[in-house]
């Protein structure tokens, strides 16, 4: 007991000398706040797509691949807080922010009855699969940013997640200068399902950091459906509108 008190006291003491700062506004974080201050967390530009099945992200997949639900937590805008969060996660080795975003979004999914905490009740999604990085990219970054988001979602919702079910066989080149058809060709058949027995007959929640054209998620979903996955839904941290 005494040790615990000491630890709390020490933690408070150190946070006075070396405070953590909010990623959004750089204000010192207070006790209980992680990564973002309460105000920045409250001000995040949420899409609320999880409350509307036929949202604009779902519509992006219509006529391309059957996606059961398509969600994105936040709206991406250049120079905004969401860009800062994604930059921290991808380029500043801040894996914790990815997990926190997963926690926050997982709680919203639970509140909307799209995920459940009690293991005895039926979950809508059977498992979470992050979109994998190509092994060369994984080596250079050291981690897959989508794994962080998956880990955070899973911790809150109790839906299991797996890092090694999907494999990315080709590194995708930058897609910005290509037309829609070329972009599609560029990602077609690049994903392989390494453990089809895990996804057969299941409802998979495929997760990624950001969705733009949806071509990557489409290719991933197609690989899953080809090996007998019952349903595929997608959830991303952010959507570029
Ligand atoms: Zn802040």
């Amino acid at each position: 007991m005494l040790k615990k008190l000491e630890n709390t006291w020490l933690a408070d003491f150190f946070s006075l000398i070396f405070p953590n700062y909010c990623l959004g506004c750089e204000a010192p974080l207070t006790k209980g706040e992680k990564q973002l201050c309460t105000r920045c967390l409250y001000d995040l530009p949420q899409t609320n797509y999880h409350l509307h099945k036929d949202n604009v992200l779902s519509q992006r997949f219509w006529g391309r691949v059957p996606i059961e639900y398509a969600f994105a937590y936040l709206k991406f805008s250049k120079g905004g807080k969401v860009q800062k969060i994604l930059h921290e996660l991808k380029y500043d080795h801040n894996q914790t922010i990815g997990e926190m975003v997963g926690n926050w979004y997982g709680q919203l999914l639970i509140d909307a009855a799209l995920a459940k905490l009690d293991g005895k009740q039926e979950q809508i999604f059977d498992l979470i699969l992050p979109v994998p990085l190509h092994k060369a990219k994984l080596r250079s970054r050291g981690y897959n940013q989508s794994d962080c988001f998956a880990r955070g979602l899973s911790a809150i919702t109790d839906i299991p997640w797996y890092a090694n079910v999907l494999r990315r066989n080709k590194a995708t080149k930058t897609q910005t200068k290509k037309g829609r058809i070329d972009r599609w060709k560029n990602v077609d058949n690049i994903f392989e399902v390494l453990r089809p027995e895990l996804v057969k007959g299941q409802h998979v929640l495929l997760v990624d950091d950001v969705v733009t054209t949806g071509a990557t998620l489409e290719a991933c979903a197609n690989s899953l459906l080809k090996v007998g996955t019952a349903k595929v839904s997608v959830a991303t941290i952010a959507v570029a509108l």
Side-chain angles (χ1 to χ4, degrees), residues 52-240:
H52 309 280
K53 195 164 190 272
D54 293 338
N55 58 64
V56 294
L57 182 59
S58 294
Q59 291 170 22
R60 229 174 258 191
F61 294 101
W62 288 0
R64 293 163 69 186
V65 60
I67 296 290
E68 187 71 11
Y69 296 99
F71 309 138
Y73 178 28
L74 303 169
K75 292 177 205 158
F76 178 90
S77 64
K78 267 221 155 101
K81 282 177 185 155
V82 179
Q83 188 180 27
K84 267 193 198 168
I85 288 173
L86 290 174
H87 193 277
E88 278 276 323
L89 173 62
K90 281 178 84 165
Y91 306 110
D92 288 343
H93 297 273
N94 185 347
Q95 298 189 57
T96 309
I97 186 64
E99 286 173 31
M100 293 309 300
V101 168
N103 286 175
W104 297 327
Y105 199 42
Q107 190 56 54
L108 287 186
L109 296 183
I110 289 169
D111 294 345
L114 288 157
K116 286 164 185 158
L117 259 183
D118 182 353
K120 286 178 213 135
Q121 287 175 285
E122 209 179 318
Q123 288 276 14
I124 290 178
F125 310 110
D126 297 302
L127 66 161
I128 299 172
L129 297 183
V131 171
L133 292 180
H134 184 258
K135 64 175 192 262
K137 188 67 156 272
L138 185 62
R139 212 179 300 127
S140 66
R141 184 168 297 153
Y143 62 94
N144 177 359
Q145 70 276 6
S146 298
D147 284 354
C148 307
F149 181 45
R151 193 156 56 227
L153 271 177
S154 173
I156 286 289
T157 61
D158 271 352
I159 304 168
W161 77 281
Y162 301 89
N164 300 314
V165 171
L166 288 164
R167 180 165 70 192
R168 193 181 200 126
N169 287 327
K170 269 189 283 182
T172 30
K173 293 182 193 88
T174 175
Q175 303 193 351
T176 42
K177 284 185 185 143
K178 294 196 178 101
R180 198 183 160 111
I181 301 286
D182 288 340
R183 267 202 293 258
W184 183 78
K185 274 190 200 150
N186 200 28
V187 290
D188 190 32
N189 287 325
I190 65 166
F191 294 102
E192 191 183 339
V193 183
L194 298 178
R195 297 174 68 189
E197 74 283 358
L198 261 181
V199 298
K200 204 165 180 194
Q202 303 292 296
H203 187 167
V204 170
L205 181 61
L206 195 56
V207 303
D208 206 356
D209 53 347
V210 64
V211 54
T212 50
T213 63
T216 306
L217 288 162
E218 180 186 353
C220 237
N222 272 324
S223 310
L224 286 164
L225 291 166
K226 251 189 249 169
V227 299
T229 301
K231 287 175 189 167
V232 178
S233 291
V234 301
T236 62
I237 294 176
V239 57

